[in-house]
Amino acid sequence: MKGSMIIFACLTTIIAFIIAVQFQSLSDPNSRDTRNMGELRQALISEKETRQQLHEELDRQIEILNQLDETEEVEEVMGEVMEKLQEQAGLTEVSGPGIIIEVNVVFDQHYTGGGINSVPAYLLRLLVNELNIQGAEHIAIGNQRIVATTAIREANGRTLVNGNWLSYFPLEIKVIADDPESIHHAMMSSQSSELFSYEYLGFSSTPMDNVTIPAIDKNYRVRFMEPVLEGS
């Protein structure tokens, strides 16, 4: 079937990519690493997240291929796949069990600096990576949905997510996950809290029966793609 061939092509592409990533990690020449402990920790968490996402995507593609092999309703299966892809791309609002993380300023008697306007971008990226490793399905920072193309960066001393300034404290991060209690305990005992404390910040986590995360408020721009007519 045509649908099966498309999925099979995607599957082999992902497998080839996984092999290429692993080969590259083994073939890199030994060189002196000048990064500090915090930077190494961020890099390690990011690599763990990437590997986990690759394996999860491979499992999803194998499941889809098996569904196509076991049914003649190709259109129905592909329709479900399309709905799931739209959800993963952040195009639809989603609700489900999860946690709400609240980030706030934590000063002590030794603090002598000025005001803190927002959470540094590197800390938010670290937190997102850890949440993904712990099983987060959907994340929103403030009202900004986190998707594959999300940029978290700093400008003029403030942090932007998806090109939008973050609101001031407390900053709310919404997370949807299958096991809210597990991800709650994992985040509260994670090493991220120590890094937050270095910036005079802290966060708390609250498990919720229902969390609603908005769709991304930006339109995707498709480039270098055009429709192909059947038989052309």
Side-chain angles (χ1 to χ4, degrees):
M1 291 182 290
K2 186 176 180 181
S4 297
M5 293 302 295
I6 294 173
I7 300 300
F8 180 74
C10 294
L11 179 61
T12 53
T13 301
I14 293 170
I15 293 174
F17 180 68
I18 292 173
I19 294 173
V21 169
Q22 292 178 339
F23 176 78
Q24 179 65 30
S25 65
L26 293 174
S27 61
D28 283 341
N30 293 326
S31 59
R32 183 179 179 185
D33 200 326
T34 58
R35 291 175 293 180
N36 60 35
M37 187 60 69
E39 292 170 333
L40 288 172
R41 186 178 298 169
Q42 293 177 53
L44 177 61
I45 292 175
S46 180
E47 290 298 324
K48 286 182 178 179
E49 180 196 4
T50 300
R51 174 168 294 189
Q52 179 173 312
Q53 289 176 340
L54 288 172
H55 285 295
E56 288 176 353
E57 183 62 28
L58 180 59
D59 290 341
R60 278 195 293 267
Q61 297 301 332
I62 291 175
E63 181 181 355
I64 294 170
L65 183 59
N66 290 335
Q67 290 177 345
L68 289 171
D69 287 338
E70 295 171 359
T71 182
E72 295 182 356
E73 302 296 332
V74 177
E75 292 80 5
E76 181 179 344
V77 174
M78 296 309 294
E80 293 174 357
V81 171
M82 182 62 69
E83 290 180 4
K84 188 64 177 179
L85 289 174
Q86 289 178 333
E87 183 180 291
Q88 292 174 349
L91 299 177
T92 58
E93 181 181 276
V94 290
S95 297
I99 62 173
I100 293 181
I101 295 174
E102 187 174 281
V103 183
N104 216 334
V105 179
V106 179
F107 292 127
D108 60 23
Q109 65 272 22
H110 303 295
Y111 183 74
T112 57
I116 300 176
N117 295 321
S118 60
V119 182
Y122 84 92
L123 283 181
L124 287 180
R125 290 193 292 266
L126 176 67
L127 193 61
V128 168
N129 288 341
E130 280 212 68
L131 285 168
N132 285 329
I133 291 173
Q134 297 300 333
E137 294 183 359
H138 305 283
I139 303 172
I141 298 177
N143 288 320
Q144 297 302 314
R145 179 78 168 267
I146 303 302
V147 296
T149 57
T150 292
I152 302 176
R153 60 187 183 86
E154 292 183 23
N156 298 324
R158 289 185 61 191
T159 300
L160 297 94
V161 177
N162 290 331
N164 295 300
W165 301 109
L166 290 181
S167 58
Y168 291 96
F169 297 103
L171 175 64
E172 190 175 78
I173 300 173
K174 296 180 179 180
V175 182
I176 291 178
D178 286 337
D179 191 345
E181 288 292 338
S182 176
I183 197 170
H184 159 71
H185 291 298
M187 294 310 299
M188 293 311 299
S189 61
S190 72
Q191 295 178 335
S192 296
S193 58
E194 180 182 354
L195 294 178
F196 270 70
S197 68
Y198 295 156
E199 299 286 350
Y200 296 97
L201 298 170
F203 63 82
S204 60
S205 168
T206 305
M208 306 289 291
D209 293 331
N210 188 69
V211 176
T212 299
I213 293 181
I216 192 168
D217 61 356
K218 293 184 179 294
N219 294 323
Y220 283 101
R221 206 169 46 140
V222 179
R223 302 176 61 194
F224 312 117
M225 185 183 299
E226 60 184 21
V228 177
L229 299 178
E230 186 175 355
S232 62

